[in-house]
Amino acid sequence: MGGSGRAVLWRVLASAALCALLLTGCSGTRQGTAPESAVTTPPPAEVRVESAASTPDNSHASGRPAACWNPLLGRLAADGVSGGRIDALFVQLGDAVSPDPMGRKVKELYTTKFLRPEPQPVPPGQKPRPARPPMYPGVVTDENAAKCRAFLTENARWFSLAESRFGVPREVAVSLLFVETRLGTALGKGNAFRNLAAMAAADTPDMVPGYIAALPGADGNLDWISLRMRQKSDWAYQELKALIRHADALGQDPLTMPGSIYGAVGICQFMPTNIPAYGVDGDGDGRVDLYTVGDAVFSLSNYLDRHGWQPGMRRDARYNVLKRYNNSAAYANTILALADKVAGKPAQSAQPTKAVQPGKPAQTGTAKHKALARPAQPAPSHSPGASATASAAQ
């Protein structure tokens, strides 16, 4: 083979070797690469790692109460109220403390006690006009009296036994039940456990910012507001603890017990701390359940008896005892007037409110508020399911 022939042969062999090498390299690359559909791991920049601080509260799903309830749970545990059942109750309250129960109370206290308008003195030489006795509008009617009489007939046994034992006339007892809960048909729109837990947990102004912002001049009176919030938080805590123990005694779930916005329960609207003190097992089933007529009638009658009710007492004395149940002139007057109508008696005069005497300066209460001294009496207001049976709620 000549020189030119050998050169051509070498070029052919070299080209074949190069192609084989290239084919081998391409085949190896394909074999080592996964299909695009199998690539599931995101690049490092897209991997989400949530720290404890940034992780949303999933305590409800995990069966643990949210962190916002920890201070309250710790306080309950120190008082011997703890365990899985208690944790389960607070899990159902969610991951935030509702500002509404305490916010409403703060608004009420601030407007009726701190910003209460001053009474206008009577000009010298003029006689003070007698104040009109306050009563709840629309309650003392023939229709409502008929409802009370029908309720008395339906539950005659309990009213008769309670009247014999405690001396409280059945007309008064049934009228009180009507004013409180419309004879058990208006037990409260909320849940006593939820409302009391929220009030007990919300003990500083920053827990109810929307309500504080709506109060005129609140920024300059935060010391007064803070003090009252701590007082109401402590009060609500004691009521919450009593409610849990009462529900235990009944074998009931407190989250199924309807109540007022401030935690009163039952047909007669007792605050929970009053149940062991004044509750009576009227129907003899071995427990005090204020959602039953017998126990409610016996318990309210016992409360009035223990606070001074006596058979044959004068009307003004009856008025004063009823104000121990709810410290409101309108409340006491309404019950007495409705009781008269239920009994078929002619309407009697109600207790008037005090008028400002001529020349007597009106108490402004400014120094009293600044000193954070004894609070003023609450303004007469009441709605079904909002009992002040324990007037500490005010």
Side-chain angles (χ1 to χ4, degrees):
M1 180 178 294
S4 60
R6 286 196 297 268
V8 171
L9 178 60
W10 279 111
R11 284 198 295 271
V12 170
L13 292 174
S15 297
L18 179 60
C19 288
L21 180 62
L22 290 173
L23 288 171
T24 302
C26 292
S27 175
T29 303
R30 292 288 296 175
Q31 291 174 357
T33 303
E36 291 182 7
S37 61
V39 180
T40 57
T41 304
E46 295 181 15
V47 175
R48 296 181 180 179
V49 180
E50 295 179 338
S51 66
S54 63
T55 303
D57 194 330
N58 62 350
S59 57
H60 188 86
S62 66
R64 299 190 307 273
C68 61
W69 301 111
N70 285 345
L72 184 54
L73 286 168
R75 191 174 181 184
L76 286 168
D79 284 342
V81 181
S82 62
R85 184 184 57 81
I86 302 300
D87 289 347
L89 288 173
F90 279 87
V91 165
Q92 295 181 70
L93 296 185
D95 58 4
V97 177
S98 171
D100 295 333
M102 181 62 84
R104 286 191 297 259
K105 176 53 68 175
V106 168
K107 179 181 178 181
E108 176 186 328
L109 292 172
Y110 194 77
T111 56
T112 63
K113 299 183 185 300
F114 196 89
L115 298 179
R116 187 175 57 169
E118 301 176 7
Q120 298 299 315
V122 178
Q126 294 186 14
K127 292 183 179 180
R129 277 190 305 182
R132 184 178 181 181
M135 281 199 291
Y136 301 139
V139 176
V140 184
T141 66
D142 292 336
E143 180 183 359
N144 291 338
K147 292 178 181 178
C148 289
R149 285 191 291 269
F151 194 79
L152 284 175
T153 300
E154 182 180 354
N155 300 282
R157 178 186 179 189
W158 309 125
F159 284 98
S160 178
L161 291 172
E163 185 173 356
S164 298
R165 179 171 172 181
F166 300 106
V168 177
R170 65 194 69 193
E171 294 85 3
V172 171
V174 76
S175 296
L176 186 150
L177 290 180
F178 187 90
V179 171
E180 287 290 350
T181 61
R182 299 301 187 262
L183 306 175
T185 63
L187 295 169
K189 297 180 179 179
N191 173 262
F193 180 85
R194 289 182 181 275
N195 291 338
L196 289 172
M199 285 191 72
D203 56 356
T204 56
D206 63 290
M207 299 288 286
V208 291
Y211 285 90
I212 300 298
L215 300 178
D219 288 345
N221 298 302
L222 288 179
D223 287 346
W224 188 91
I225 293 172
S226 297
L227 173 62
R228 298 313 298 266
M229 287 187 69
R230 290 194 300 271
Q231 292 171 343
K232 295 309 164 190
S233 173
D234 288 342
W235 167 83
Y237 171 76
Q238 297 301 329
E239 297 297 340
L240 175 69
K241 186 169 60 174
L243 178 63
I244 293 172
R245 289 173 171 164
H246 175 61
D248 273 353
L250 291 177
Q252 292 184 1
D253 179 354
L255 284 169
T256 66
M257 301 170 68
S260 75
I261 58 174
Y262 299 130
V265 296
I267 303 172
C268 56
Q269 291 289 275
F270 267 22
M271 294 307 302
T273 54
N274 274 335
I275 298 174
Y278 303 105
V280 179
D281 174 19
D283 56 19
D285 66 353
R287 60 183 194 163
V288 177
D289 183 356
L290 299 182
Y291 293 96
T292 64
V293 176
D295 291 4
V297 173
F298 270 67
S299 297
L300 76 87
S301 299
N302 180 47
Y303 185 97
L304 295 177
D305 173 61
R306 297 271 295 276
H307 285 83
W309 192 281
Q310 295 179 6
M313 66 194 312
R314 291 175 42 175
R315 189 178 186 84
D316 58 347
R318 292 184 174 195
Y319 168 88
N320 289 331
V321 174
L322 287 170
K323 284 190 68 179
R324 298 295 297 276
Y325 205 101
N326 182 338
N327 191 13
S328 161
Y331 179 85
N333 284 335
T334 303
I335 290 175
L336 291 174
L338 183 58
D340 288 341
K341 190 172 282 290
V342 171
K345 297 179 181 178
Q348 301 185 42
S349 59
Q351 290 293 116
T353 55
K354 293 182 179 180
V356 179
Q357 298 297 321
K360 183 177 181 180
Q363 182 181 4
T364 64
T366 303
K368 174 183 61 181
H369 290 143
K370 289 182 178 179
L372 303 177
R374 179 175 62 87
Q377 294 298 326
S381 62
H382 185 79
S383 60
S387 173
T389 303
S391 55
Q394 304 175 12

